[in-house]
Amino acid sequence: MIGIFDSGVGGISVWKELYGLMPNQDFVYVADSAYCPYGQKSAGEIIERAKKISEFLINKNADVIVVACNTATAAAIKYLRSHFSVSFVGMEPAIKPAAAESTSGIVGVLATAGTFKGSLYLNTLTKFASNVKVIELTGDGLVELVESGKTYGEEVESLLKKYINPIIDAGADQLVLGCTHYPFLVEAIKKISNNTLTIINPALAVAHQTQKIINEINIKPTKNMGTSIFISTGSVNTMKMLVHNINHNISEQNFIMQNI
Ligand code: DGL
């Protein structure tokens, strides 16, 4: 079984790619919606939640855990890897492909405050962004909009403009999505940027990395289609809507509200 967790529904954008690549695997997804957002929380608080959720997923027999949250990866992945024996895959800020593909030499990154503070992000910048100018914007409020099920419309566009316009005005041609909630805003981003930005979402690369680990540890997929279970520590409503937009056939019973 592949365990996945995020501060909320954002990691569904990662489950989409994992499920697309490995439809016969079983998945258990945990949305920590009762504790969302993680972006402004201290690293200690995020580690505490990540530890509890990982224990829960390991008890459900997870072979691999995907930390489908950039903020939780930044704060907790080192701790998780040293504390548990199961493999963890985290979110990498996709600075490398953005820098490689930029023709203007200017790259925009939209992420949470927690992700920008993490050493993972700073190391990635040092390694891959020495030849480009990086414009960093903290997407305050965007996670909350997606959590409440708002992914398009006037409210979404007007908040997004606050972050996307400075990136465009600076001359960026690449936009790195540094938070797993943001892929749900791609249509709105395309609209307000007039398709002038190449949008980079690392979710597919993370799914490939997970598949590699699955192959290495030789997990046999079930013969039939795998099962995806979606657990939320808060409301399951937005999760249901986002999952059903990806796959209509997932049964209502697979969405569960549970305290972790
Ligand atoms: N999806 C989380 C991420 O990738 C959102 C963080 C938050 O809850 O603020 O960073």
Side-chain angles (χ1 to χ4, degrees):
M1 186 273 274
I2 300 174
I4 311 170
F5 77 89
D6 176 41
S7 63
V9 297
I12 297 294
S13 64
V14 183
W15 167 79
K16 179 185 176 192
E17 304 300 341
L18 287 160
Y19 176 69
L21 268 188
M22 297 174 277
N24 299 329
Q25 295 290 355
D26 292 330
F27 295 95
V28 175
Y29 181 96
V30 174
D32 199 14
S33 293
Y35 292 81
C36 190
Y38 281 0
Q40 307 288 345
K41 290 194 166 51
S42 72
E45 287 172 288
I46 298 171
I47 288 173
E48 208 40 56
R49 292 306 300 154
K51 184 179 159 212
K52 277 222 171 97
I53 296 166
S54 299
E55 276 163 0
F56 173 84
L57 289 168
I58 290 165
N59 282 336
K60 295 232 172 269
N61 293 324
D63 300 286
V64 178
I65 295 178
V66 180
V67 184
C69 175
N70 296 69
T71 312
T73 302
I77 201 142
K78 263 197 203 139
Y79 173 87
L80 296 173
R81 284 183 175 141
S82 68
H83 200 80
F84 299 105
S85 58
V86 73
S87 295
F88 285 87
V89 182
M91 300 303 298
E92 290 270 345
I95 303 289
K96 188 182 176 185
E101 277 167 41
S102 178
T103 49
S104 69
I106 301 162
V107 165
V109 183
L110 192 58
T112 68
T115 295
F116 283 129
K117 271 191 289 191
S119 59
L120 182 66
Y121 177 74
L122 295 174
N123 292 342
T124 313
L125 273 191
T126 319
K127 255 200 200 156
F128 302 115
S130 52
N131 295 327
V132 290
K133 186 173 170 198
V134 177
I135 313 290
E136 295 170 357
L137 269 298
T138 302
D140 288 333
L142 294 175
V143 165
E144 288 87 338
L145 281 179
V146 176
E147 283 296 310
S148 65
K150 292 178 190 153
T151 55
Y152 59 88
E154 236 168 77
E155 191 183 353
V156 169
E157 286 172 26
S158 82
L159 184 59
L160 266 175
K161 275 182 193 159
K162 257 178 73 181
Y163 308 125
I164 301 300
N165 286 347
I167 289 174
I168 296 171
D169 293 345
D173 60 349
Q174 310 285 315
L175 173 65
V176 175
L177 301 183
C179 169
T180 55
H181 281 72
Y182 303 163
F184 292 111
L185 304 172
V186 157
E187 290 312 315
I189 295 173
K190 282 185 184 163
K191 185 175 166 199
I192 63 178
S193 66
N194 274 324
N195 284 316
T196 54
L197 294 167
T198 301
I199 299 170
I200 304 191
N201 171 10
L204 183 59
V206 168
H208 277 289
Q209 175 61 19
T210 309
Q211 189 177 38
K212 208 176 130 203
I213 292 173
I214 290 286
N215 291 339
E216 278 165 12
I217 54 183
N218 206 13
I219 300 174
K220 300 267 179 285
T222 49
K223 270 199 195 130
N224 307 317
M225 290 296 279
T227 307
S228 291
I229 306 284
F230 299 91
I231 296 166
S232 176
T233 58
S235 160
V236 295
N237 292 343
T238 300
M239 187 159 67
K240 231 186 248 179
M241 178 195 83
L242 296 175
V243 169
H244 282 156
N245 285 344
I246 297 165
N247 183 331
H248 298 293
N249 300 324
I250 292 180
S251 151
E252 293 278 319
Q253 292 160 355
N254 294 17
F255 296 89
I256 299 159
M257 199 176 152
Q258 189 169 339
N259 282 330
I260 298 176

